[in-house]
Amino acid sequence: MIGIYCRISKEKGEGKDRSIDDQRLLGIELASNLGIDYEVYIDDGLSGTLAINDRPALYKLVGDINDNKIKMFYCYDNSRLEREPEIYLTLSKLFINKKIKCYTNSGEVVLNPESILLGTVMSAFNYLI
């Protein structure tokens, strides 16, 4: 099963981010193309800087990954998942340890030292904007 994570904060202005519906539909389209069941996890109106346990849908997703319910993961882009380097590193470690295949709107994300370094830098940049 693929976990589709969608998040938008209320601080964003109209039209500056992909809507929850857009994120959800793109994830469902990916699941359909992969021929796999999905579950959608939505944190609407919550900042990506919040801790995992302060975002109910992300917390449930992490629990489902730990329970081996989720084998693949999709979010529109890294900024939808998090805006905090510590959270990025925690989730990357979980995905690697559980052998989770990760996807964004740009395609499959291979988690290796180079991509984790780039992801950490992007996470720090996202934190600042």
Side-chain angles (χ1 to χ4, degrees):
M1 181 176 297
I2 188 168
I4 299 168
Y5 183 72
C6 308
R7 185 193 66 78
I8 193 166
S9 69
K10 290 184 180 175
E11 296 174 8
K12 293 288 183 182
E14 188 67 32
K16 291 190 177 186
D17 253 334
R18 283 283 187 174
S19 72
I20 292 288
D21 282 340
D22 285 349
Q23 294 174 53
R24 183 179 58 79
L25 290 172
L26 288 166
I28 291 170
E29 181 180 348
L30 174 65
S32 177
N33 290 341
L34 293 172
I36 190 168
D37 291 334
Y38 63 87
E39 183 163 341
V40 179
Y41 302 80
I42 298 174
D43 279 325
D44 193 358
L46 298 176
S47 172
T49 62
L50 292 175
I52 292 169
N53 59 340
D54 290 333
R55 292 192 268 162
L58 183 57
Y59 185 75
K60 182 177 182 336
L61 172 65
V62 167
D64 288 346
I65 289 171
N66 280 319
D67 291 341
N68 299 312
K69 179 179 175 185
I70 300 296
K71 298 294 183 189
M72 295 179 177
F73 170 80
Y74 169 84
C75 68
Y76 181 75
D77 66 25
N78 196 53
S79 71
R80 299 302 85 221
L81 179 59
E82 55 71 36
R83 290 181 173 271
E84 171 65 50
E86 183 179 336
I87 296 169
Y88 173 79
L89 291 170
T90 298
L91 293 172
S92 294
K93 183 177 178 181
L94 173 66
F95 294 158
I96 290 168
N97 288 341
K98 290 292 193 172
K99 297 178 175 46
I100 302 296
K101 255 185 160 176
C102 298
Y103 295 88
T104 67
N105 197 50
S106 300
E108 186 174 354
V109 176
V110 177
L111 292 174
N112 58 37
E114 293 84 13
S115 69
I116 291 173
L117 175 62
L118 178 59
T120 304
V121 170
M122 290 303 299
S123 181
F125 179 74
N126 288 333
Y127 179 76
L128 297 173
I129 57 171

